Amino acid sequence: MNKAISEPYYAHEGSIVIHGDSLDELKQLPDNSVDSVVTDPPYGLGNTSAANVADCLKAWANGDEWMPKGSGFMGKAWDAWVPPPALWSEVLRVLKPGGHALVFAGSRTQDLMSISMRLAGFELRDVLMWLYGSGFPKSHDVSKAIDKKLGAEREVVGKKSDTILKSFQKFKEQDGRKKKTDFSTIGYITAPATEQAKAWDGWGTALKPAYEPIILARKPLAGTVADNVLTHGVGGLNIDGCRVETNRTRVQGSQVVTGVTGMQAKPRAGGKIYDKGLWPANILLDNALQDPLIKRYFYCAKPSPAERQAGVKDTELQKNIHPTVKPITLMRYLCRLITPKGGTILEPFAGSGTTLIASHLEGFKHIGIEREADYVRIIRARLRHWAGVRDPSETQKTSNQRQLSLFS
């Protein structure tokens, strides 16, 4: 499966996907050549011990390279640590002055991602929170662990509800990965077998995951905001283009009503109602959260299995094996928030191509870089399905001609 991919796969005129290492490939791109960055980089869920963090920060502060040992999420070597300042420095160089970046991060390693970006020269402007209701806790049962350590066998005293089992099964299907948990055993309720286990019954080691942070950063402005926008065409956020619809159900007192949430629409000249929608917030919601009071925020569910696999089943891989696929609707919203009309988006960690699909559907150009050959194959198949782009074998232009056209 790891056969090499040919030269950069070009999705369509003015947009490219490059198979290669991000740091190496970024160095080939011109200064100040992209309008925005929307990316889902490795979260760095490896060994973040105090000693490792201290060694890393010391090296970064001195401008030195620091190489982590081991692996991160699902044993992937590429997730052993967050991208270093050297990578973000190249992203900063390629981004136009005043251009924004939206960077996903892990809840446990958001601090390291932020520091890495700060050291590269980015200004951190905000942190968006994508909240969702379908996360499943990966917790260790302390009571069971004690009985297992003491060699005591627990008695089965019942079964968990169908609702819990269905929720777990749905999570497995949406997550698209093999779980270490044995589904055939989690449905049973067991009683503590030892006094020590009884004392810790009901204790675990993790909370239910329900959000992912998205760092909003900006390359320093060249002069004032007005100067920067007029000179470079970037520097602002597309507020009106990302306002939240106001025709949602809400609660007022004891009554359920529809209309503008939390404000009154004001009449314009001539007496017409002027309502653009609610100002976009730094909270994004999964539509599994149905409380009317929180419908004032943009919301988007995690990708369904159908969305993850669309276009991929007919390839040699037969399924989307990427472990962290984001929803297309969410990525379209983020692309639209920080990218000017007709702009070019950089995604240095293209993964299975969701950002690139979103970019195309929103009418933007893109530059995607992905190191893993299998993921590039998935990108190719998904772009063909969602964006209707040409197969790379159909193009007659050379890679140099294509790359030059991107910046013309």
Side-chain angles (χ1 to χ4, degrees):
M1 286 291 183
N2 290 317
K3 295 180 292 184
I5 296 291
S6 58
E7 283 303 298
Y9 162 56
Y10 298 90
H12 53 93
E13 193 66 35
S15 297
I16 61 175
V17 178
I18 301 171
H19 176 221
D21 180 79
S22 294
L23 185 56
D24 295 337
E25 299 299 338
L26 284 168
K27 292 177 180 179
Q28 309 304 313
L29 301 180
D31 296 354
N32 307 323
S33 56
V34 301
D35 299 281
S36 67
V37 178
V38 180
T39 184
D40 187 15
Y43 288 0
L45 303 179
N47 181 8
T48 53
S49 66
N52 276 352
V53 171
D55 288 345
C56 171
L57 295 183
K58 182 178 179 180
W60 284 359
N62 291 328
D64 298 330
E65 183 180 10
W66 186 81
M67 294 298 295
K69 297 179 180 178
S71 59
F73 185 63
M74 291 183 64
K76 302 293 186 181
W78 50 258
D79 192 53
W81 209 256
V82 300
L87 184 285
W88 295 118
S89 293
E90 287 299 318
V91 172
L92 189 78
R93 177 187 63 79
V94 174
L95 184 62
K96 293 178 181 178
H100 285 88
L102 283 166
V103 180
F104 280 82
S107 59
R108 302 203 307 263
T109 53
Q110 175 189 346
D111 54 343
L112 290 173
M113 192 80 77
S114 297
I115 290 173
S116 183
M117 295 183 68
R118 286 184 189 275
L119 290 174
F122 273 100
E123 299 174 349
L124 267 63
R125 306 287 296 171
D126 205 341
V127 176
L128 285 66
M129 292 289 175
W130 175 39
L131 309 184
Y132 46 81
S134 56
F136 201 88
K138 303 175 180 68
S139 180
H140 195 57
D141 189 313
V142 178
S143 176
K144 287 183 179 179
I146 291 173
D147 276 339
K148 182 177 181 180
K149 180 177 179 63
L150 298 178
E153 185 175 349
R154 297 167 69 96
E155 179 185 359
V156 175
V157 295
K159 289 186 176 182
K160 294 183 179 178
S161 70
D162 289 341
T163 301
I164 294 177
L165 297 180
K166 287 179 181 178
S167 296
F168 182 78
Q169 183 63 47
K170 182 179 179 181
F171 171 73
K172 286 184 66 178
E173 292 172 353
Q174 290 183 343
D175 201 52
R177 305 190 297 263
K178 292 182 178 179
K179 295 293 169 196
K180 293 182 180 179
T181 307
D182 183 357
F183 183 64
S184 65
T185 63
I186 68 157
Y188 297 101
I189 300 172
T190 59
T194 63
E195 291 301 317
Q196 297 95 321
K198 289 179 182 178
W200 289 96
D201 191 26
W203 288 72
T205 59
L207 301 175
K208 169 183 162 62
Y211 82 95
E212 288 189 39
I214 310 169
I215 299 167
L216 175 62
R218 186 177 70 184
K219 184 171 180 175
L221 297 166
T224 66
V225 171
D227 292 334
N228 199 101
V229 169
L230 291 173
T231 302
H232 299 285
V234 295
L237 301 177
N238 186 7
I239 300 300
D240 279 359
C242 294
R243 285 181 181 270
V244 180
E245 296 177 8
T246 57
N247 59 343
R248 298 192 186 282
T249 302
R250 65 187 177 94
V251 175
Q252 182 176 338
S254 60
Q255 296 183 334
V256 177
V257 298
T258 59
V260 180
T261 304
M263 69 177 189
Q264 295 295 323
K266 297 181 179 179
R268 301 176 65 186
K272 294 182 179 180
I273 295 297
Y274 180 59
D275 177 20
K276 290 184 176 182
L278 298 173
W279 197 279
N282 57 6
I283 291 179
L284 315 170
L285 300 176
D286 172 359
N287 64 1
L289 305 174
Q290 295 294 334
D291 189 332
L293 289 175
I294 59 178
K295 288 298 184 68
R296 67 188 66 190
Y297 305 109
F298 172 84
Y299 66 97
C300 172
K302 281 192 170 184
S304 66
E307 180 176 311
R308 291 172 58 100
Q309 307 303 340
V312 183
K313 62 181 180 179
D314 294 329
T315 68
E316 58 182 310
L317 294 172
Q318 296 186 333
K319 66 179 181 177
N320 188 345
I321 60 173
H322 197 279
T324 60
V325 181
K326 295 297 186 293
I328 295 173
T329 301
L330 173 64
M331 303 313 292
R332 290 184 67 167
Y333 180 87
L334 297 178
C335 289
R336 191 166 68 249
L337 180 63
I338 63 171
T339 313
K341 185 177 180 179
T344 298
I345 298 172
L346 171 65
E347 166 55 290
F349 302 97
S352 65
T354 306
T355 301
L356 311 184
I357 295 167
S359 168
H360 181 85
L361 294 177
E362 287 295 318
F364 302 121
K365 303 172 186 175
H366 61 249
I367 304 173
I369 305 173
E370 176 51 49
R371 188 182 69 179
E372 304 298 318
D374 281 347
Y375 295 163
V376 175
R377 292 185 175 92
I378 293 172
I379 292 172
R380 177 188 305 175
R382 296 187 77 207
L383 279 172
R384 278 203 299 268
H385 176 84
W386 290 102
V389 300
R390 295 178 299 182
D391 187 278
S393 62
E394 297 174 7
T395 182
Q396 300 298 317
K397 292 188 177 182
T398 66
S399 60
N400 285 338
Q401 287 175 317
R402 287 277 184 173
Q403 191 154 341
L404 286 172
S405 70
L406 183 66
F407 306 104
S408 59

